Amino acid sequence: QVQLVESGGGLVQPGGSLRLSCAASGNIFTIGAMGWYRQAPGKQRDLVATITSSGITNYADSVKGRFIISRDNTKNTVYLQMNSLKPEDTAVYYCNADIATRFLGRMYDYWGQGTQVTVSS
């Protein structure tokens, strides 16, 4: 009943930029923290960036200064602006959100289906 749908992935040359979007929809009462994770082939899923409902951000060291996470609470959407992309940024990027579906209900962890980002010349 809750869906996270990512968009914006693709193929980009090293040094280029991409902007990912993730929209939450369905039976949503409130959204807490939102974030982006990535998983390269043969590796574990790692944190990229998170943002709280009040806008406090956190970044993995590997993307600090290059990526910017933001959110639009009126649209239940989180964004990831990725600049100065490197081949090592190649991965499937997953959106994550903590969502409550009713008043005073507990937060549950939801994931998107993932979007491929490939950085290659």
Side-chain angles (χ1 to χ4, degrees), residues 1-4 23-29 76 99 101:
Q1 291 161 341
V2 173
Q3 281 190 315
L4 299 181
S25 63
N27 185 26
I28 296 170
F29 179 77
N76 292 338
I99 297 174
T101 57

Side-chain angles (χ1 to χ4, degrees), residues 64-83:
K64 281 181 181 176
R66 299 189 298 123
F67 291 10
I68 300 171
I69 188 170
S70 61
R71 64 191 282 172
D72 184 337
N73 292 330
T74 66
K75 298 180 179 179
N76 292 338
T77 299
V78 63
Y79 306 95
L80 186 68
Q81 178 67 43
M82 303 186 293
N83 303 318

Side-chain angles (χ1 to χ4, degrees), residues 22 31 34 45 57 70 72 84 86-87 90 92 96 102 105 118:
C22 172
I31 302 177
M34 304 182 82
R45 189 175 298 187
T57 59
S70 61
D72 184 337
S84 302
K86 305 175 181 180
T90 296
V92 177
N96 173 266
R102 59 183 178 86
T118 302

Side-chain angles (χ1 to χ4, degrees), residues 43-74:
K43 296 188 176 181
Q44 66 181 18
R45 189 175 298 187
D46 291 328
L47 169 77
V48 175
T50 61
I51 184 168
T52 67
S53 56
S54 58
I56 298 171
T57 59
N58 179 55
Y59 295 93
D61 288 342
S62 59
V63 306
K64 281 181 181 176
R66 299 189 298 123
F67 291 10
I68 300 171
I69 188 170
S70 61
R71 64 191 282 172
D72 184 337
N73 292 330
T74 66

